[in-house]
Amino acid sequence: MKLQLPLGLLLAAFGSNHVSAFTIPSKSSATTLSPSSLYSTMSPKDTSDLALFPDIPLRRIEGANTLITYKLPVDCERVQMVLASNGRPMKAKVQLWVGPIRQTHGMDIDVENGERTPFRATLKFKKGGPTLKISASSGLEFPLLAGIQVPTPERNDELAAITQSEWDKAEKTLVQGASVSGGHGAVRTFPIAANVESIQVMIWSVDTGKKSIKAKIEMLQGPNNAKQSYDLHLGGGSQPYHAVFATPGEGWMLRIYNKKFIEDGLFQVAVVPYVTGDYQVDPTQPDASGWWMGR
């Protein structure tokens, strides 16, 4: 099942199902934008660092491998996306294609509860008008909520400055690839303090050879209990990958490992808080410092 839509088409959400963290337009607000209006408009409050991902209208994508494609403008360099569910498990696939046979980005998403822990990411790419594809899982009972937004040229520069600033300030951790015999490479873990409600994860190989990236990202809550699982593929490591993962409650840990060979699999990862709450942290606990000592 395949649908072709322009990026600016904002479709209505469904019934009473909603995602509390984001704004979902009513049916009466559905609007088709002209080609000259494909760039989204931003209010002043959306330009702060914490508004890295403003409220993006969501539309429903049915299960049963339903595929939605977005033809991005030729002169854009970034796209922001939000994927969520109405409280059900969320399984989705995001791909960026340049031409009919070249895939430059891929992300397989498997989340236990897409309303409690939605996925948010900013994808950087070269100009040229690639096609973004988003598909739901094979199960009809697991629909998906998706929001896509192309920033204005001015907002694109702001996002680039935010990513670069966060990257420069953060402590970077090297993640090495595996041996030639295959298997997973180096594993890095980052304990998350209980007062951190969401984290920013930046993956980049700009200083380690600019090679492509294949990584497995898991958000654990409990011993080896992956509540969120992501398989990431980046065709060009010179482009930064910037995502936000929700970590509500206690006991979260980020685990990331390299899936490439040792010859060209080296990349860096930086992890910093995105939103912190008023949770009172016990300073005697080993993870209370909250800071991201990769292990």
Side-chain angles (χ1 to χ4, degrees), residues 201-213:
V201 177
M202 292 163 283
I203 299 176
W204 210 348
S205 63
V206 65
D207 297 323
T208 57
K210 299 182 180 180
K211 299 292 186 177
S212 60
I213 295 169

Side-chain angles (χ1 to χ4, degrees), residues 17-282:
N17 294 326
H18 67 281
V19 177
S20 59
F22 308 101
T23 301
I24 302 179
S26 62
K27 289 185 178 181
S28 61
S29 66
T31 305
T32 301
L33 302 180
S34 63
S36 62
S37 303
L38 282 176
Y39 289 112
S40 59
T41 58
M42 308 293 297
S43 61
K45 69 180 180 63
D46 292 330
T47 60
S48 66
D49 286 10
L50 274 183
L52 184 62
F53 295 93
D55 288 343
I56 299 176
L58 304 178
R59 61 152 301 168
R60 175 168 171 147
I61 301 177
E62 298 294 344
N65 293 319
T66 301
L67 173 66
I68 305 294
T69 63
Y70 300 88
K71 180 62 177 177
L72 302 179
V74 174
D75 57 344
C76 77
E77 294 181 302
R78 279 177 171 82
V79 64
Q80 293 188 285
M81 64 190 77
V82 176
L83 300 181
S85 74
N86 58 353
R88 305 296 300 278
M90 178 174 68
K91 295 185 178 182
K93 180 175 292 187
V94 179
Q95 298 175 327
L96 189 74
W97 290 80
V98 179
I101 61 174
R102 184 186 176 201
Q103 179 184 335
T104 61
H105 166 75
M107 173 69 93
D108 290 339
I109 301 170
D110 189 351
V111 175
E112 185 177 273
N113 186 330
E115 182 178 31
R116 184 169 180 259
T117 56
F119 172 72
R120 291 166 285 182
T122 297
L123 181 61
K124 171 72 168 65
F125 45 84
K126 296 179 180 179
K127 294 180 180 180
T131 299
L132 183 69
K133 297 182 179 182
I134 299 179
S135 58
S137 69
S138 59
L140 186 61
E141 65 274 19
F142 297 128
L144 177 69
L145 295 174
I148 303 300
Q149 183 166 271
V150 173
T152 64
E154 295 77 15
R155 177 60 174 167
N156 177 76
D157 294 339
E158 292 173 357
L159 291 172
I162 290 172
T163 300
Q164 189 65 56
S165 175
E166 294 289 351
W167 180 261
D168 291 340
K169 293 185 296 184
E171 179 181 350
K172 271 78 75 177
T173 301
L174 289 171
V175 187
Q176 182 65 66
S179 66
V180 294
S181 60
H184 297 307
V187 180
R188 297 289 182 261
T189 59
F190 303 82
I192 311 301
N195 67 323
V196 177
E197 298 178 359
S198 58
I199 60 172
Q200 302 179 64
V201 177
M202 292 163 283
I203 299 176
W204 210 348
S205 63
V206 65
D207 297 323
T208 57
K210 299 182 180 180
K211 299 292 186 177
S212 60
I213 295 169
K214 290 184 179 179
K216 178 81 170 181
I217 304 169
E218 295 177 325
M219 297 302 305
L220 310 176
Q221 193 176 35
N224 207 33
N225 183 19
K227 299 287 188 177
Q228 307 173 51
S229 179
Y230 307 91
D231 270 301
L232 172 66
H233 166 245
L234 291 175
S238 60
Q239 314 296 327
Y241 191 76
H242 196 169
V244 169
F245 301 105
T247 56
E250 299 181 78
W252 286 95
M253 177 175 287
L254 168 67
R255 182 168 66 190
I256 181 169
Y257 46 85
N258 200 322
K259 296 178 66 176
K260 291 195 70 179
F261 292 137
I262 195 170
E263 292 84 359
D264 67 344
L266 186 64
F267 64 81
Q268 291 178 300
V269 59
V271 184
V272 296
Y274 182 61
V275 174
T276 57
D278 298 328
Y279 188 92
Q280 297 299 315
V281 180
D282 183 354

